[in-house]
Amino acid sequence: MKETCLSADVLFDAAHSRLGPALSGLRYPWEILPDLKARIAAAGKALPKTDYEEIAPNVWVAKSAKIAPSASITGPTIIGPETEVRHCAYIRGSVLVGAGCVVGNSCELKNCILFDEAKVPHYNYVGDSILGFGAHLGAGAVTSNVKSDKTNIAVRWADGAVATGLRKFGALVGDGVEVGCNCVLCPGSVIGRGSIVYPLTRVRGVIDAGVVCKSMDEIVVRREREA
């Protein structure tokens, strides 16, 4: 049943995010999005001052992180150890960025979770979304988080759908996923662990783990040398 690939434990390794255990306790990962602001604020207040500095109201940055002077960060936001936030990044709040991540030049983040070692290095938009451990968005790849008709979003596959009850929801990108340059992840997209999406692809619905998505009409099992 396709619905089984939507659980947090199937998509993400909970050990690689401060909110990983909270996600594991939910039926679907997107259920955390409406409460993300409060959860991040609570987690930030509990961070050890020996390791984190509150550089602005409700903005907690690990002392080993590198933040470009031109970056704009609004709270509540947590930036993890050894993470790099580059020039002109725009972090709008309700954002949890894990350890060893990259938030690149002119990227925009809001209401989202980046697991450890996730990378959005060039001109990316990530809104109302979750990126798993080691996930990577190529240059210009974005998560689209609102439908054109502004109705609630459902996660769909060929013979089924799950209503999310959310008007704003971008994508769930599993651990180790590689998304090519200039892809658009449509509202309610889910990409399973270890999959590859070719550049310029419009992703809609659910993509299984361990596949190569050349287009939504051509999806093949990932070969061993690609893994």
Side-chain angles (χ1 to χ4, degrees):
M1 183 180 182
K2 202 79 167 184
E3 189 174 349
T4 60
C5 70
L6 303 180
S7 74
D9 291 341
V10 170
L11 289 164
F12 311 117
D13 182 344
H16 286 288
S17 175
R18 290 185 176 277
L19 291 180
L23 284 167
S24 294
L26 301 173
R27 183 176 183 186
Y28 300 116
W30 59 75
E31 292 173 352
I32 203 170
L33 296 175
D35 301 324
L36 196 52
K37 181 177 182 178
R39 288 180 182 269
I40 292 172
K45 289 178 173 63
L47 290 170
K49 294 183 179 180
T50 53
D51 300 323
Y52 283 80
E53 181 180 0
E54 189 174 359
I55 64 169
N58 293 328
V59 177
W60 297 275
V61 176
K63 293 181 179 180
S64 60
K66 297 179 180 178
I67 310 295
S70 59
S72 174
I73 307 176
T74 301
T77 290
I78 298 173
I79 306 294
E82 307 296 334
T83 282
E84 183 179 1
V85 179
R86 295 175 178 167
H87 291 286
C88 297
Y90 181 30
I91 299 177
R92 292 168 47 192
S94 303
V95 172
L96 171 60
V97 181
C101 296
V102 174
V103 180
N105 170 40
S106 302
C107 291
E108 180 178 350
L109 276 60
K110 59 88 65 172
N111 204 57
C112 63
I113 299 172
L114 272 60
F115 274 60
D116 298 343
E117 298 184 28
K119 293 175 174 59
V120 288
H122 310 288
Y123 304 103
N124 306 112
Y125 172 71
V126 182
D128 302 285
S129 298
I130 303 172
L131 272 58
F133 172 58
H136 172 260
L137 300 188
V142 299
T143 64
S144 175
N145 60 337
V146 180
K147 293 172 62 176
S148 297
D149 62 6
K150 308 301 188 293
T151 58
N152 286 351
I153 294 160
V155 176
R156 302 182 183 278
W157 53 93
D159 56 354
V162 175
T164 68
L166 300 175
R167 192 177 70 84
K168 291 188 177 182
F169 169 39
L172 306 177
V173 180
D175 292 349
V177 167
E178 291 282 343
V179 176
C181 295
N182 291 319
C183 288
V184 175
L185 310 186
C186 294
S189 296
V190 179
I191 306 175
R193 285 194 194 196
S195 288
I196 295 173
V197 180
Y198 272 23
L200 299 174
T201 301
R202 185 201 65 168
V203 175
R204 184 174 185 270
V206 179
I207 294 175
D208 289 333
V211 302
V212 178
C213 176
K214 301 180 179 183
S215 72
M216 292 306 295
D217 296 320
E218 186 179 3
I219 299 175
V220 299
V221 175
R222 187 172 176 180
R223 292 178 293 187
E224 188 173 331
R225 67 183 180 85
E226 295 169 329

